[in-house]
Amino acid sequence: MRVLLDGFLRVFSSLALSVALLLMLGLLTWLGTLEQVDHGLFEVQKRYFESFFLVHHAGSIPIPLPGANLVLCLLFVNLAVGGMARMRRDRRTAGILIAHAGILILLLSGFVKMYFSDDGHVTLFEDQRANHFESYYRWEIAIAEDLGDGRLREHVVPQEDFADAQGDRTARLGSPELPFEVEVSHYMPNSRPTPKGPMFEVAVPVVDGVFLQGRELAAEAETNIAGAYVSVVERDGTRTDGILWGMDAHPLTVTAGGKDWAIDLRHERYAMPFTIELEKFTKVDHPRINMPKEFSSDVAVIEGEASRPVKISMNEPLREAGLVLYQASWGPGGARPGDRLFSTLSVVRNPADKLPLYACIVIAAGLVIHFTRKLAGYVRREAGA
Amino acid sequence: MKLLVAIVVALTCVASHGAAQEPESRRVPWSDGIVELAESLPVQDGGRVKPLHTFASFTLLRLNGKRSLTTPSGERLGPTEWLLDILVFPQTAIGYRQFLVQNDEVIAAIGLSVDERKKRDRYTFEELRPGVGRLFELARQYTLIEEADRSSVQQQVVHLANNVDEFMRLAGHLDFARMRLRVGAEPEVAELFDASVVPFHAVVRAAPGLHELADGVAGRGEALAILRAAADVGGASGSLALLPPVAPVDDEPSWLTPDDVFYRSYDEGRLADEHAEALRSFVALVDARLDPGAFERELAGLHARLTGLAEARGEYASVGLEVAYYKAKLLSWSLYLFVFAFLGLAFLWLRPRAKVLYAGISGVAGIATLLLIAAIVVRCVIRGRPPVSTLYETVLFVTCVGAIVGLAVEAVNRRRLALSAAAIFGMIGLFIANGYELLDKQDTMPSLVAVLDTNFWLATHVTSITIGYSAGMFAALLGSLYLLAKLARFKRDDRAFYKGLARMVYGVLCFGLLFSLIGTILGGIWANDSWGRFWGWDPKENGALLICIVQIAILHARMGGFLRDHGVCAAAAFGGTVVAFSWWGVNLLGVGLHSYGFTSGIHDALWTYYLVQWAIVGLGGVAWLLERRNAAADRLRAVPGRPPEEIAESKAA
């Protein structure tokens, strides 16, 4: 046991492992950069950087590689054991230890961001308001129950529960509160509803003359539109078939158990603890050329009865109740002067928001201490020589 | 569509003038006084106020491939003189060979003959004129093709069409000042004017009245005809915004062309006296074109009027400085001095004890660096920005930091090595800066997109990243020198020489890591503040990370004993290509948030560098193997009892 632990510590604290991990991380970073040309950032990020293992295709040769996530986890251990716990501690290594501590904070903030943060956007025309933001990439199925007095009660199913129901595989979504189950099949991350013509056959069901056509994943992942086939199966076995598509203007409606229900596939929504209203969006170009100089959104942050004005502009986000709102973009793309514009604010909930800044300060301090020591030594030696 | 309209107008202007009167020409060179006044006229172009000299330089560079032009009569014109000729004597300027065509297939494609012309040659507007219609037609088709997918000839057709269009706009710019209209056929119209033949500014003044007549019945026909004529010549003036608004900058950021002034008077009945007077000055200026003395007086009047308006808005402060910056040619002088220092160093290595030579060369390299620093500082003052905000400026700054680091190290160790490296680095860096400017042919002090409009982050993140690039490249240069010296068996027995060199590489790597790492993290913090994510695996971010990883890996491999001096130098030399990939290579990928800047054509230069640098690393490996074999052979020969002198001799042989 003792031997095993010692061996483990020796391997994990070795400089050889550090160098090997760094080189592997460098290789992954390089490959992941080049792959973006063909596959877009989002896909590459999932495959190369957020994964534990991957298979890289160099031409037609498959090469199995560890993912950057695994490499960074190992690096974290290597650094904590070899670069902190088991390292000599004296005046000569003080700077190094501090810098290593900073890197650990940085890696930690990365893990926190990856596993505990939400991000999305809220897009508003002037005078519109919202109290939630929605994901760019993730989908959910919302089952809304008409309570009869003008109110709706929503049952929300996250993407994990139906994303595997691809092809003929099915996922059954249900809850004791619902008088039916929703059977999902043929989930497609990117799809378009297409009319079925008489001249061709399709391998998927056709509902009311329309079928879902699957598409390649787009390089710009936020342009993917998910779709799926659903069957609403009531307790007595009655089935109602339908198609859900992410950009449908109207949800699928069914009547069951004496009530009306609306089923909708939409981008995942996250509630905000306040409401935001876009009062004015401003876009200023440089004089006489078509290049934006600045854009900003004047918004009202409304909490209960209280409302206060805030200006959100490039490089100046709003930080409020654990959320950060950024001026991300605007549209529509081909707008002419005088057209009604919308403003897109990116919204991020990241518990580690400020950690990189602290890490940066710690690392800078450590490196400055260490290298100043080295430099002073060098100058002394050269002057003595 | 806009392009086509402009063509028709400009074409008719140039053509009608050519036909209507004897081609007149300038009889004497533009006097220094005239040139000085003209070059310091402010103009709003590319989103900022700049001297006419800067505008003329980059326009001439785009058309002619260089910043001067030789006329058929052998006169050598600077950019401002050339622009004056186009504006004031367009009939002369159409005969200048000012359109550089890289490949005569372009000329053949627009249906013109290329007999007796070189493949790469310059053409006059007169020569191109018969093919201009076809040129624009082709260019319109080719612009529908993605730039990356265009063939070289297609790209050159588009380029030539843009240049011809720009020339025609400039040639027609002062048409408004040449125009005279006969008015007063209708009494209602005559009432609006106090003469029967009137210039443009009188029409501008009368525009609200003419507008009213045009909406009514009496005098409608003539009013419409006058307005149409004024709109036509005004439209030709659309390219140079020389007239500052009277209102403060915040209320009215955009400068005006004569066309704008006309429409403002016509549409809104608004005409500032200053603008009416300025238009009158343009007319007087053109009238005085054949009398150099009178022309200079009129130009001085116009200059005072326009700069007065710009000054009142606080937009003239750095125009004079910018003219001085370009005329002083600080960067050219710096480049010459670096080259001179480099040549001197060749002698210095042959005569190691020449103290005066050493001091002299150090001085020259020092002055070259100071000139470079001065150039960067002046650019900061002109734009009110930190030193680096464009790709071009990264080159200047990287060069400058490398030279400073080299000279500082030299001051400490006085081994001549760092001095040599500083001179080489300065020379190559400024050569690249110059090449980039000639390739890009755009103003090197452009307006910045919204996200870059932050002096805090430009000063911190961009500056530290760029210092990191500089250190990485400088370490690569020193490492390469080490490898090449080993290969050439230079000073092969001087262990201190190699030890010292390797130690410098190590030191510069440490310096570089500090700035690369801090710069990269600061970039993340900036991204977190403006886009909401600290790190997004964007290509530019990855490039910066790669630099950090390589430098950290080298330092740890050295620590662990996996790399010795030779290995560290080879790794640092390889690291240069990683820096180059991050600095230039990722921009060529064409993806991500950071893919700014003009980069086509840089591809070849970048790959040349990669290959040269990798070859040096490879040769360094060969040198290492040879050294090991020789060492083994020496050990074999060093049999016991053999005197050491003998071994030394056999080595020397």
Side-chain angles (χ1 to χ4, degrees):
Chain A
M1 196 61 217
R2 192 61 214 248
V3 180
L4 265 178
L5 187 70
D6 272 0
F8 172 83
L9 280 180
R10 226 187 352 267
V11 170
F12 271 91
S13 63
S14 72
L15 267 174
L17 181 66
S18 319
V19 174
L21 290 173
L22 284 168
L23 291 180
M24 184 51 73
L25 185 61
L27 177 70
L28 288 170
T29 309
W30 183 63
L31 292 175
T33 308
L34 297 184
E35 286 290 299
Q36 288 184 27
V37 176
D38 291 329
H39 300 291
L41 201 153
F42 186 77
E43 276 305 302
V44 167
Q45 185 169 338
K46 270 201 307 197
R47 268 185 51 209
Y48 284 80
F49 301 123
E50 292 178 355
S51 63
F52 284 88
F53 290 100
L54 65 109
V55 178
H56 174 77
H57 292 272
S60 57
I61 309 160
I63 307 169
L65 290 171
N69 198 345
L70 176 64
V71 173
L72 286 170
C73 287
L74 292 175
L75 203 58
F76 187 89
V77 177
N78 177 245
L79 190 54
V81 180
M84 298 283 298
R86 284 170 61 114
M87 206 160 116
R88 201 179 52 214
R89 289 187 204 87
D90 57 29
R91 276 170 52 195
R92 277 180 300 170
T93 57
I96 296 281
L97 284 166
I98 295 174
H100 281 173
I103 299 277
L104 285 178
I105 300 175
L106 193 63
L107 287 173
L108 199 64
S109 68
F111 294 127
V112 172
K113 159 87 185 158
M114 175 152 172
Y115 291 108
F116 300 101
S117 76
D118 296 321
D119 58 352
H121 67 102
V122 45
T123 295
L124 299 169
F125 281 98
E126 284 177 12
D127 299 329
Q128 280 186 332
R129 53 170 68 187
N131 59 4
H132 66 263
F133 62 98
E134 56 186 51
S135 171
Y136 284 106
Y137 314 110
R138 292 172 51 78
W139 297 89
E140 65 186 11
I141 291 177
I143 303 166
E145 175 182 358
D146 187 350
L147 295 179
D149 54 358
R151 291 182 304 147
L152 294 173
R153 187 196 301 161
E154 278 189 349
H155 308 260
V156 177
V157 185
Q159 182 173 314
E160 283 74 21
D161 291 3
F162 56 83
D164 286 335
Q166 301 194 3
D168 289 332
R169 263 175 301 169
T170 56
R172 289 181 90 94
L173 315 174
S175 114
E177 294 170 27
L178 297 178
F180 54 80
E181 283 189 328
V182 178
E183 190 181 285
V184 182
S185 67
H186 300 95
Y187 173 75
M188 303 174 196
N190 192 16
S191 65
R192 296 290 181 279
T194 311
K196 157 86 172 66
M199 308 301 287
F200 59 93
E201 292 302 317
V202 292
V204 290
V206 178
V207 179
D208 297 336
V210 173
F211 70 99
L212 265 185
Q213 190 177 32
R215 291 200 170 188
E216 292 272 306
L217 285 179
E220 289 175 337
E222 61 271 22
T223 60
N224 289 331
I225 305 169
Y229 285 83
V230 289
S231 297
V232 176
V233 186
E234 288 176 60
R235 295 259 152 83
D236 60 8
T238 340
R239 294 177 74 98
T240 316
D241 293 336
I243 289 178
L244 293 182
W245 187 59
M247 284 296 130
D248 258 339
H250 302 290
L252 178 71
T253 50
V254 287
T255 310
K259 281 182 181 161
D260 287 333
W261 303 81
I263 306 175
D264 192 14
L265 176 67
R266 65 188 189 196
H267 276 123
E268 186 167 336
R269 291 183 177 180
Y270 311 92
M272 295 195 290
F274 51 86
T275 298
I276 191 148
E277 179 175 325
L278 179 65
E279 292 181 336
K280 188 163 167 285
F281 172 70
T282 319
K283 168 178 157 293
V284 183
D285 281 347
H286 284 288
R288 304 189 66 84
I289 52 173
N290 197 5
M291 179 197 258
K293 184 163 183 272
E294 58 169 288
F295 21 101
S296 61
S297 298
D298 287 293
V299 300
V301 179
I302 305 158
E303 279 171 282
E305 294 297 300
S307 165
R308 67 190 166 85
V310 179
K311 189 185 190 76
I312 300 175
S313 62
M314 281 316 262
N315 298 320
E316 278 168 40
L318 160 68
R319 287 170 202 277
E320 178 82 20
L323 295 177
V324 196
L325 282 76
Y326 309 85
Q327 181 66 57
S329 66
W330 58 276
R336 294 157 169 277
D339 280 2
R340 197 156 171 248
L341 300 179
F342 64 75
S343 172
T344 297
L345 303 171
S346 277
V347 187
V348 177
R349 185 201 321 271
N350 178 11
D353 184 40
K354 282 288 172 196
L355 275 189
L357 177 61
Y358 306 143
C360 184
I361 295 167
V362 173
I363 294 169
L367 290 183
V368 167
I369 291 171
H370 184 67
F371 290 145
T372 313
R373 239 188 106 76
K374 287 259 175 185
L375 184 65
Y378 176 71
V379 172
R380 255 201 314 277
R381 254 202 319 274
E382 287 289 345
Chain B
M1 197 58 224
K2 196 182 164 199
L3 185 78
L4 279 180
V5 172
I7 300 154
V8 174
V9 172
L11 260 181
T12 48
C13 288
V14 175
S16 64
H17 278 277
Q21 56 213 78
E22 266 307 281
E24 54 178 25
S25 60
R26 177 167 53 80
R27 291 181 197 111
V28 291
W30 296 107
S31 71
D32 291 347
I34 290 175
V35 173
E36 271 167 36
L37 285 166
E39 68 193 8
S40 59
L41 272 177
V43 57
Q44 190 177 56
D45 174 63
R48 73 176 183 108
V49 175
K50 61 177 80 161
L52 199 60
H53 176 78
T54 305
F55 172 82
S57 301
F58 284 101
T59 309
L60 180 54
L61 186 58
R62 274 195 294 279
L63 265 63
N64 199 34
K66 56 182 184 177
R67 272 177 259 220
S68 64
L69 176 126
T70 310
T71 68
S73 58
E75 186 186 355
R76 195 164 173 281
L77 299 181
T80 306
E81 292 144 300
W82 165 77
L83 184 60
L84 277 172
D85 274 351
I86 296 186
L87 292 173
V88 183
F89 295 105
Q91 301 91 329
T92 314
I94 58 174
Y96 292 169
R97 287 193 165 193
Q98 57 203 330
F99 295 100
L100 176 64
V101 176
Q102 299 286 354
N103 185 340
D104 58 9
E105 282 176 45
V106 174
I107 302 300
I110 61 172
L112 300 180
S113 152
V114 291
D115 294 346
E116 295 172 33
R117 300 302 284 265
K118 285 175 287 188
K119 189 166 180 60
R120 173 185 185 276
D121 209 344
R122 294 188 164 82
Y123 294 81
T124 68
F125 180 75
E126 261 179 330
E127 289 171 311
L128 296 179
R129 186 147 55 186
V132 164
R134 177 94 183 114
L135 175 66
F136 285 121
E137 177 53 32
L138 284 179
R140 204 180 53 79
Q141 288 172 19
Y142 296 158
T143 43
L144 299 178
I145 307 172
E146 285 285 331
E147 194 165 341
D149 299 335
R150 285 180 215 155
S151 73
S152 161
V153 169
Q154 289 175 338
Q155 184 57 35
Q156 286 176 41
V157 165
V158 173
H159 183 68
L160 182 65
N162 285 334
N163 284 343
V164 168
D165 180 52
E166 191 153 10
F167 173 83
M168 292 198 303
R169 286 161 184 272
L170 291 172
H173 183 77
L174 286 183
D175 278 359
F176 78 89
R178 285 184 273 265
M179 177 193 84
R180 293 295 185 279
L181 283 180
R182 183 169 294 283
V183 296
E186 304 278 349
E188 293 82 2
V189 172
E191 259 175 45
L192 295 170
F193 295 98
D194 45 20
S196 58
V197 177
V198 296
F200 184 73
H201 56 87
V203 179
V204 173
R205 243 191 220 299
L210 291 167
H211 193 169
E212 244 174 67
L213 290 181
D215 288 344
V217 179
R220 178 158 187 270
E222 194 188 358
L224 275 176
I226 296 172
L227 288 170
R228 207 171 289 139
D232 274 357
V233 288
S237 74
S239 64
L240 275 179
L242 285 163
L243 300 166
V246 180
V249 178
D250 289 340
D251 299 343
E252 229 180 86
S254 294
W255 285 31
L256 308 171
T257 63
D259 198 36
D260 298 328
V261 175
F262 166 72
Y263 272 105
R264 211 177 246 207
S265 174
Y266 168 79
D267 279 335
E268 306 163 29
R270 249 188 333 141
L271 174 64
D273 285 338
E274 289 86 343
H275 292 155
E277 287 305 308
L279 292 181
R280 182 201 296 278
S281 292
F282 276 111
V283 173
L285 182 73
V286 169
D287 286 348
R289 64 191 176 275
L290 295 175
D291 175 354
F295 188 86
E296 185 168 346
R297 272 194 306 283
E298 291 297 341
L299 185 58
L302 180 67
H303 188 273
R305 213 178 275 291
L306 296 178
T307 54
L309 281 172
E311 251 164 14
R313 291 159 54 92
E315 290 186 306
Y316 194 66
S318 57
V319 168
L321 185 61
E322 190 173 334
V323 175
Y325 167 76
Y326 279 111
K327 302 210 100 178
K329 295 190 173 19
L330 295 172
L331 294 174
S332 303
W333 283 109
S334 180
L335 175 58
Y336 302 150
L337 290 179
F338 275 126
V339 173
F340 186 71
F342 174 72
L343 297 176
L345 278 159
F347 289 101
L348 190 62
W349 282 101
L350 295 175
R351 302 200 176 284
R353 302 199 189 286
K355 285 235 163 75
V356 178
L357 189 60
Y358 178 72
I361 290 169
S362 308
V364 171
I367 294 169
T369 309
L370 285 177
L371 286 176
L372 180 51
I373 295 173
I376 292 173
V377 169
V378 170
R379 295 176 65 93
C380 293
V381 173
I382 291 171
R383 297 294 286 130
R385 295 219 174 267
V388 185
S389 56
T390 65
L391 204 47
Y392 172 77
E393 284 173 331
T394 62
V395 184
L396 295 186
F397 196 70
V398 162
T399 309
C400 185
V401 171
I404 293 173
V405 168
L407 292 179
V409 174
E410 182 65 31
V412 175
N413 68 21
R414 304 189 157 268
R415 289 174 196 273
R416 292 171 292 161
L417 257 168
L419 178 61
S420 313
I424 296 173
F425 200 76
M427 190 171 75
I428 296 176
L430 286 178
F431 185 73
I432 292 172
N434 187 46
Y436 179 84
E437 197 180 0
L438 292 181
L439 198 64
D440 186 24
K441 301 185 176 76
Q442 301 293 336
D443 188 0
T444 60
M445 295 186 244
S447 302
L448 302 179
V449 293
V451 70
L452 291 179
D453 191 16
T454 151
N455 282 350
F456 174 73
W457 291 113
L458 284 177
T460 51
H461 157 67
V462 178
T463 309
S464 20
I465 277 284
T466 316
I467 293 176
Y469 288 165
S470 184
M473 294 309 279
F474 197 70
L477 175 63
L478 287 173
S480 302
L481 290 178
Y482 182 101
L483 299 178
L484 292 175
K486 278 272 181 190
L487 190 73
R489 311 188 127 204
F490 179 75
K491 286 182 177 263
R492 53 183 299 213
D493 296 320
D494 188 351
R495 295 192 55 154
F497 170 82
Y498 285 103
K499 209 74 221 148
L501 189 45
R503 207 176 283 149
M504 273 191 262
V505 171
Y506 171 69
V508 176
L509 278 178
C510 292
F511 174 80
L513 176 61
L514 174 64
F515 284 94
S516 299
L517 196 56
I518 302 304
T520 306
I521 301 174
L522 282 174
I525 296 171
W526 180 10
N528 194 32
D529 256 15
S530 69
W531 296 315
R533 88 282 185 291
F534 172 77
W535 194 260
W537 302 102
D538 169 275
K540 202 74 180 176
E541 291 171 347
N542 291 353
L545 177 65
L546 276 173
I547 297 178
C548 296
I549 289 175
V550 167
Q551 291 178 342
I552 294 173
I554 296 175
L555 296 187
H556 284 79
R558 181 180 180 274
M559 187 81 202
F562 313 125
L563 291 178
R564 301 277 168 78
D565 286 355
H566 201 113
V568 167
C569 289
F574 174 80
T577 59
V578 176
V579 175
F581 174 74
S582 166
W583 185 7
W584 298 96
V586 293
N587 294 9
L588 298 178
L589 297 178
V591 283
L593 293 158
H594 291 81
S595 66
Y596 47 77
F598 165 90
T599 41
S600 57
I602 290 167
H603 183 268
D604 295 350
L606 185 64
W607 271 95
T608 309
Y609 172 70
Y610 286 162
L611 294 177
V612 168
Q613 191 68 78
W614 289 335
I616 291 175
V617 175
L619 290 174
V622 173
W624 183 72
L625 289 174
L626 286 178
E627 195 176 70
R628 269 176 55 131
R629 214 187 57 189
N630 287 344
D634 286 349
R635 265 201 305 282
L636 279 180
R637 239 176 276 141
V639 284
R642 207 165 156 207
E645 298 89 311
E646 205 178 305
I647 300 172
E649 272 172 29
S650 69
K651 246 191 209 168

